[in-house]
Amino acid sequence: DGGITQSPKYLFRKEGQNVTLSCEQNLNHDAMYWYRQDPGQGLRLIYYSQIVNDFQKGDIAEGYSVSREKKESFPLTVTSAQKNPTAFYLCASKPGREIQPQHFGDGTRLSIL
Amino acid sequence: GQNIDQPTEMTATEGAIVQINCTYQTSGFNGLFWYQQHAGEAPTFLSYNVLDGLEEKGRFSSFLSRSKGYSYLLLKELQMKDSASYLCAVKNSNYQLIWGAGTKLIIKP
């Protein structure tokens, strides 16, 4: 089945540690996105990529980094510079055409130890 | 600034009808999406409106008025499995998606 796979489902980070969240899709979608979801707030865009080897900062990119070396993969690293990383992280993808809806992975819940 | 407003929480009875409203103020408009999200799960796409009027999909319908910056999602014959959050998102003139905080819908027997 085609879809978006995020791993792990739950992740714990120690203070000062970098962690990487995985996002893989086999939908052959060009565009991929990372969002952060906090209680009582809308989804906030961290980074997005329209094509391999290219990505742009979203609204809250500080403290995060990404790479897009392959079409299928868009990993997100939460660095120690992100002071409030506890949140639910969602990865999404969509075909290149603008009117298409985004498809989401099941999310990774990150907590601080 | 750009913002999307939705009620935080709504309660309805199984078998009834509920309307979830969404008002938006964005820099331009290129379509409005509704998603359903069960707790701890991925949002799933429900509907897309770009022209004024009503789009119907089974028990779910979505309405758009661009002049009023307003949309609603109508859910009929409510079932317990419809208990979820419903997210409204607008694509602005830069094709950026602006998300509302979501409306948590509680269905009671």
Side-chain angles (χ1 to χ4, degrees):
Chain A
D1 275 3
I4 302 175
T5 302
Q6 288 187 241
S7 61
K9 192 166 179 66
Y10 299 96
L11 188 58
F12 298 91
R13 193 192 91 168
K14 294 180 181 178
E15 296 285 347
Q17 191 179 47
N18 293 355
V19 291
T20 297
L21 284 60
S22 169
C23 178
E24 303 278 330
Q25 54 101 358
N26 59 5
L27 300 167
N28 199 34
H29 286 173
D30 291 311
M32 297 187 74
Y33 305 81
W34 273 107
Y35 290 95
R36 172 179 171 139
Q37 188 174 34
D38 294 282
Q41 297 190 40
L43 300 182
R44 292 186 290 167
L45 184 64
I46 304 172
Y47 269 97
Y48 64 102
S49 168
Q50 304 275 37
I51 196 169
V52 176
N53 291 322
D54 189 41
F55 49 83
Q56 286 79 41
K57 293 182 179 180
D59 301 318
I60 55 166
E62 185 174 349
Y64 300 97
S65 65
V66 293
S67 63
R68 186 86 187 276
E69 297 175 2
K70 298 185 299 181
K71 188 174 186 177
E72 309 79 42
S73 179
F74 192 41
L76 173 74
T77 296
V78 184
T79 75
S80 56
Q82 172 49 243
K83 297 307 177 189
N84 185 23
T86 297
F88 190 48
Y89 290 88
L90 286 161
C91 178
S93 72
K94 76 171 190 69
R97 292 190 307 171
E98 293 296 341
I99 62 171
Q100 294 294 320
Q102 294 180 10
H103 299 260
F104 286 84
D106 284 337
T108 293
R109 189 165 297 280
L110 176 62
S111 302
I112 298 300
L113 289 177
Chain B
Q2 305 185 90
N3 65 285
I4 311 283
D5 288 316
Q6 306 178 234
T8 303
E9 187 174 297
M10 300 182 70
T11 303
T13 304
E14 190 177 14
I17 299 173
V18 70
Q19 178 176 310
I20 302 174
N21 295 327
C22 170
T23 58
Y24 62 89
Q25 292 173 310
T26 56
S27 54
F29 179 84
N30 275 302
L32 184 145
F33 296 85
W34 283 97
Y35 282 81
Q36 180 191 61
Q37 185 180 24
H38 287 97
E41 297 183 11
T44 54
F45 170 71
L46 289 177
S47 68
Y48 171 72
N49 295 71
V50 66
L51 299 176
D52 291 351
L54 190 68
E55 295 279 344
E56 297 188 75
K57 262 188 193 181
R59 294 190 298 115
F60 293 6
S61 304
S62 57
F63 171 83
L64 174 67
S65 169
R66 288 171 297 171
S67 63
K68 294 182 179 178
Y70 167 70
S71 173
Y72 67 72
L73 181 69
L74 192 72
L75 291 73
K76 303 176 185 176
E77 301 169 16
L78 286 170
Q79 302 175 10
M80 297 304 292
K81 67 178 182 180
D82 297 330
S83 292
S85 288
Y86 291 86
L87 313 180
C88 173
V90 172
K91 189 154 280 192
N92 67 10
S93 56
N94 292 328
Y95 293 94
Q96 296 171 321
L97 258 186
I98 311 299
W99 292 84
T103 298
K104 183 178 180 181
L105 178 63
I106 299 168
I107 310 296
K108 295 186 174 178

